[in-house]
Each structure stands twice: as C-alpha cells, then as structure tokens.
Amino acid sequence: GFDESLVNSTPLEGMGPALPAGTPRWQTTILFIERTLDFIKRQKAAGKPFYVNLWFSEVHDAHVPRPEDADPELMDTTAKKKKGGGYPQNLDAFRRTLTGFDRDLGKLLEGLRALGVEEDTLVIFTGDNGPNPLYDTTHRVRSAGLRGQKWSLYEGGIREPFIVRWPGHVPAGKVNRDTILASVDFFPSLCLIAGVSAPREAVFDGEDLGAALLGQGKLRTKPLFWEYGRTAGHLKPNGESDRSPNVAVREGRWKLLVNADGSRAELYDLAADRNETTNLSGAQPDLAKRLADQALAWRKSLP
C-alpha cells in the first residue's frame, strides 16, 4: 500500500485527504508536485528510499488552459458551468493546456535537482490511453496518424509516449524503437533496478525489461494482451474505422484483434504497417488462428 496519498476526488477511508471540490486541474498539478517534493524531502532527511505514483489529470479532457496561457477572447463567459469552463475544446485548447503542464513538469525535475536526489531518482513518464475522440476534433493528429483513439485497441488507443530519465544511468536522447513494453512490466523491471527481490510466490503478467529502461536493447519473450468493451454499454470511438474488436494480442511484430466470440479477426504486421491498414488474416491463416486462440484463451481466463 501507500504511506501517504492526495487525491482530487472523494477518497476511500484511510486513503488520505482529498482536494477541495472544484479545484482547477492546473492547480492540482501544482499541489501534487509540491506534495511530492515535500514527501521526497522528508524521506531523504530520514535516510529512506522512496517511490511515488504521480498521476496528473490536467491534460485529460476537458482542456482548460491556465489564465496566462489562455486566449481570453475565446472564452464564453456565459458557459462557465459547461465542461471545459466555456473554453472551446479543440487542438488549440489542448496545446495551451499542455504548455502550462510542461512548465510544471520542469519544476518537478528542478526540485529533484535542488534536493540532491536527481542522480538517485528514476523518473518514468507515460500515459494511460489515446485521445478522447469527443474532443480530438482533428482526426488522428494527436495520435501521430495511428489508427484508433481512446476506447479502441488499435495503436492510437493503446500506444503511449514513454520517457525514462535517470541522469548518469540512462543515456540522454536515446530512442528505443525495438522493445515492446507495457505497464505490466513495471513491477518486475523496477524490482531488478532497485535490487529488490520479488516474493517467491509472485507470478507476474509482465516480465523484467529493466535493461531496456536503462537504455539497452532487450526484446520481450511473453505476448501482451488487451481487452476493452466487454459489454454493449462501453463507450466507443467516433468513426467506424477506429472501432476495434474487443480483444487483442501482440507478439513481436504481429498484432491480432478479435471479438470475444471469435468473429472479426484482424492481423497486422506492425513493423511494416504501424497504422494498421492491411488485414493479413487471410494471407496468414495459421498465424492468425494461433494468435486468436491465444487471445481468446486469455480472455476466458479473466474474472
């Protein structure tokens, strides 16, 4: 569990304080960073190591730029109670919101340096899903052309930015285009890097890819699986081409999507077709069947 927490919603019992209702997201970013640096300062003073899960919500829709980044002429003062606070939701709003968020991330990194823990702290920056199609009015711009958005298992819905920073340990500016890594790999990978032995009885869905986090090339040996949209009530992206089957598996360069009832199998070679335009299930029937069988067996194993 966590020793301390600060959340921007009503917390569960024992989960720490919540922020006041209606706190603007950009203010929660500042508060989260201040509390994080305070926590780290106290751990350092006590001679203790630390782990922080720092989840920001500022670039989640609706996008409301900070006052210094906003264009006041765009604000609809009669729509203060609308989602977005009356600010038009488009790519401009996202970029303006992101600008302020980026500045505060810089303050977080500067804070680590000021505390003297920069070279002892591994920082991982990533996201949870692709852009919300209800607000991404410029189709596939924010996903860099990838097919799919939030609520989709195409790459635009599940492929995320992933940046690792650790001065003196991770090569600056190096780009790894070969390692396929997911959040299920964090636990075993970080255990190795931190020199912590995982419980013997632990069975990880992911695998140790710590070498990749440190800038070395390492390929995964296990497939990755996804599921989204188990019931008809789940939200779906706008546009039929972005609405994926609800189960997916990735094995090396190959990715297969299929519905839980076995219908609509789609096979893509992501090394040659990152935008998932050409379904190869007909040209590679044996491979498609093997991956579909794997995906559906995994799906049936879930609660």
Side-chain angles (χ1 to χ4, degrees):
F2 292 93
D3 296 317
E4 297 183 19
S5 70
L6 178 67
V7 296
N8 59 357
S9 60
T10 303
L12 298 174
E13 183 178 354
M15 281 296 291
L19 298 177
T23 303
R25 286 197 179 119
W26 62 268
Q27 288 187 2
T28 69
T29 295
I30 296 172
L31 288 171
F32 286 163
I33 289 174
E34 290 176 347
R35 273 287 297 270
T36 295
L37 293 175
D38 175 70
F39 175 77
I40 293 173
K41 181 179 180 179
R42 287 184 280 115
Q43 303 315 299
K44 181 185 178 183
K48 297 179 180 179
F50 61 87
Y51 171 84
V52 177
N53 242 10
L54 185 54
W55 295 114
F56 298 105
S57 61
E58 186 170 353
V59 292
H60 189 284
D61 62 81
H63 302 124
V64 183
R66 300 164 194 228
E68 63 268 32
D69 298 316
D71 183 345
E73 295 184 0
L74 297 178
M75 180 66 74
D76 179 1
T77 57
T78 66
K80 293 293 186 181
K81 293 184 179 181
K82 289 183 179 179
K83 193 172 185 181
Y87 206 91
Q89 296 299 287
N90 53 31
L91 191 60
D92 177 72
F94 173 73
R95 287 172 171 163
R96 289 174 182 270
T97 302
L98 189 62
T99 295
F101 178 58
D102 184 61
R103 285 199 303 267
D104 279 328
L105 284 182
K107 294 177 183 177
L108 172 65
L109 300 179
E110 291 170 1
L112 296 178
R113 187 179 303 118
L115 290 173
V117 298
E118 180 184 36
E119 295 186 0
D120 297 318
T121 305
L122 173 70
V123 177
I124 295 176
F125 179 89
T126 190
D128 58 350
N129 50 248
N132 187 336
L134 300 180
Y135 293 88
D136 189 19
T137 56
T138 48
H139 187 52
R140 297 188 186 178
V141 170
R142 284 176 52 197
S143 61
L146 294 175
R147 181 181 182 182
Q149 298 170 317
K150 184 176 182 178
W151 311 320
S152 171
L153 297 183
Y154 292 124
E155 292 295 279
I158 61 175
R159 184 183 293 201
E160 290 300 304
F162 190 86
I163 302 171
V164 182
R165 183 182 188 272
W166 190 7
H169 300 271
V170 176
K174 185 171 183 178
V175 179
N176 182 341
R177 301 187 185 279
D178 300 317
T179 303
I180 302 166
L181 184 143
S183 57
V184 292
D185 302 315
F186 287 175
F187 198 148
S189 300
L190 294 178
C191 281
L192 175 78
I193 292 173
V196 175
S197 297
R200 291 184 178 180
E201 66 276 12
V203 179
F204 295 113
D205 290 324
E207 59 184 284
D208 165 29
L209 293 174
L213 297 184
L214 298 178
Q216 305 165 28
K218 184 171 183 180
L219 301 181
R220 72 178 309 108
T221 61
K222 296 180 179 180
L224 285 172
F225 299 95
W226 295 265
E227 181 199 25
Y228 178 78
R230 182 174 292 205
T231 66
H234 281 79
L235 297 171
K236 294 179 171 55
N238 293 330
E240 191 62 36
S241 66
D242 287 330
R243 297 178 185 175
S244 71
N246 58 16
V247 182
V249 57
R250 174 78 185 265
E251 183 183 83
R253 64 190 295 163
W254 299 102
K255 179 180 173 185
L256 181 125
L257 303 97
V258 64
N259 283 325
D261 62 4
S263 66
R264 197 184 157 190
E266 300 177 11
L267 177 67
Y268 298 101
D269 178 359
L270 294 186
D273 181 22
R274 68 189 296 270
N275 291 344
E276 297 168 292
T277 62
T278 305
N279 181 3
L280 299 176
S281 60
Q284 299 271 3
D286 293 341
L287 176 61
K289 182 180 185 307
R290 180 175 65 80
L291 291 177
D293 289 345
Q294 276 189 317
L296 295 176
W298 171 81
R299 165 63 176 77
K300 291 179 181 179
S301 73
L302 299 179

